[in-house]
Amino acid sequence: MKKTSGIPFSVLDLAPVKAEGGTGEAFRETLDLARHAEAWGYRRFWLAEHHNMPGIASAATAVLIGYVAGGTRTIRVGSGGVMLPNHAPLVVAEQFGTLESLYPGRIDLGLGRAPGTDQLTMRALRRNLSNAGDDFPRDVAELLSYFAPARPGQMVRAVPGAGLRVPVWLLGSSLYSAQLAAALGLPFAFASHFAPDYLSQALAAYRDEFRPSGALREPYAVACVNAFAADTDEEARRLFTSLQQAFVNLRRGRPGFLPPPVEDAGLSEVERAGVAHVLRYSAVGSPETVRQWLEFFIEATRVDEIMVTSQIFDHAARLRSFELVAGARGGIKAS
């Protein structure tokens, strides 16, 4: 039986944008967070592709990965993820082959099946593809082929990319990507921080159906959770209202900048119930509260790694939260 103590912790960041700060400040704060995460012992720092969302600046994900990798020394940097339906597999292979060549042994390529945006923006991104999601398994296989050593007579190669060992992950929020990751023998990361419903089923399907591959001999599963840690439970709950407001604004069709925390988010009863459901995998509280929550979650899911994301408005408070979460990791008991 796997021990729950000592498992790696990692970071998922969206480069959150505040109205008065702009994207330049968001990028500088993302790099500052990555440098601190490296010092606090986090294993990897991932950035997620989203489009047409004023409060998220990580749309050009590969570019931002290069910026973060260039400003850090040891932490792995990658995508959580690149939304493959938006891109030609060859272009993704070239981008991440370039990153791996620049920062060898430090780059991860996480792939998602969703567009990471609305339908209108999706058409603007890849206007010639009507059923891009249905092509996902074929596109993943094509992308993997570009990282294999070039074959004699091969007409199309990823330069750079061919022959490089870039770890490819599949990301998901349902059974689909879990089963595909199992069939291909790839590591799998579940987006339980905003899509909690199929976490248990997806992890079970991935482990039960996993086929060893040249990339991975045994299944390796990551779950992403929200974590808002502060010196007191009350302060952590106040910080959490920024994410609650952002989700409700998105559901109302009015995505905007990351809002500051408030004492009362002003949600209706229906909205409050919906947010509580969607964000139920969230560790919110003092260091001890967060430690207990994480210990329970790890024991219940038996994941191999925890990924933490925190949409916190104040940068100093965001740094403090990640520092406290890193400290909580050391206090998680073995079982």
Side-chain angles (χ1 to χ4, degrees):
M1 179 178 289
K2 184 192 309 174
K3 291 185 176 180
T4 61
S5 69
I7 75 167
F9 275 31
S10 294
V11 176
L12 174 67
D13 188 50
L14 306 181
V17 184
K18 297 166 283 193
E20 70 277 13
T23 55
E25 179 179 283
F27 294 146
R28 290 188 293 272
E29 291 181 348
T30 282
L31 178 57
D32 188 51
L33 173 60
R35 287 169 170 164
H36 280 85
E38 183 175 72
W40 293 326
Y42 286 92
R43 172 169 288 186
R44 60 189 95 241
F45 191 96
W46 281 5
L47 296 142
E49 177 185 347
H50 293 277
H51 299 278
N52 199 27
M53 295 186 181
I56 298 175
S58 52
T61 315
V63 178
L64 193 53
I65 289 170
Y67 171 65
V68 172
T72 52
R73 295 186 302 166
T74 59
I75 194 168
R76 298 192 65 87
V77 188
S79 59
V82 162
M83 301 297 108
L84 192 53
N86 299 337
H87 310 280
L90 176 60
V91 173
V92 176
E94 291 170 340
Q95 289 174 344
F96 280 79
T98 300
L99 289 167
E100 175 64 21
S101 298
L102 290 169
Y103 311 105
R106 294 182 54 209
I107 300 300
D108 294 327
L109 173 53
L111 301 173
R113 179 171 172 254
T117 188
D118 56 84
Q119 293 294 315
L120 185 62
T121 307
M122 181 181 70
R123 286 195 292 273
L125 288 165
R126 294 203 72 183
R127 56 183 62 121
N128 294 325
L129 295 182
S130 58
N131 296 305
D134 297 335
D135 296 330
F136 186 66
R138 184 179 64 190
D139 284 349
V140 171
E142 181 182 346
L143 177 55
L144 291 172
S145 74
Y146 290 131
F147 287 129
R151 304 180 305 276
Q154 182 177 340
M155 299 301 294
V156 179
R157 304 181 184 185
V159 183
L164 297 181
R165 297 182 62 84
V166 179
V168 174
W169 297 64
L170 292 192
L171 319 180
S173 57
S174 67
L175 297 181
Y176 183 95
S177 290
Q179 292 171 324
L180 182 59
L184 296 176
L186 297 176
F188 174 64
F190 191 87
S192 43
H193 60 298
F194 72 88
D197 290 339
Y198 293 98
L199 173 63
S200 298
Q201 298 97 311
L203 291 177
Y206 173 64
R207 289 164 179 153
D208 291 345
E209 301 174 23
F210 182 83
R211 301 175 186 172
S213 69
L216 199 62
R217 296 181 61 85
E218 296 180 349
Y220 191 92
V222 173
C224 186
V225 300
N226 301 293
F228 289 70
D231 292 332
T232 66
D233 288 347
E234 292 75 17
E235 176 59 15
R237 286 194 292 266
R238 191 183 75 86
L239 296 176
F240 189 48
T241 62
S242 290
L243 180 60
Q244 292 172 320
Q245 294 174 83
F247 259 91
V248 170
N249 290 339
L250 185 62
R251 291 289 178 87
R252 291 172 177 172
R254 300 196 301 268
F257 299 110
L258 181 67
V262 293
E263 297 303 323
D264 183 355
L267 308 183
S268 69
E269 186 174 339
V270 172
E271 289 173 334
R272 191 176 298 109
V275 168
H277 174 79
V278 170
L279 302 180
R280 71 175 181 265
Y281 289 127
S282 300
V284 181
S286 67
E288 179 57 19
T289 300
V290 167
R291 185 199 65 77
Q292 291 179 5
W293 190 97
L294 290 170
E295 186 172 276
F296 176 81
F297 181 86
I298 295 168
E299 174 66 26
T301 59
R302 316 305 296 179
V303 290
D304 300 284
E305 186 173 330
I306 287 287
M307 187 157 279
V308 176
T309 186
S310 301
Q311 293 282 78
I312 294 177
F313 183 84
D314 180 72
H315 184 56
R318 183 161 67 138
L319 292 178
R320 178 63 173 160
S321 178
F322 277 103
E323 182 181 17
L324 293 175
V325 170
R329 172 181 174 269
I332 293 175
K333 298 176 182 177
S335 64

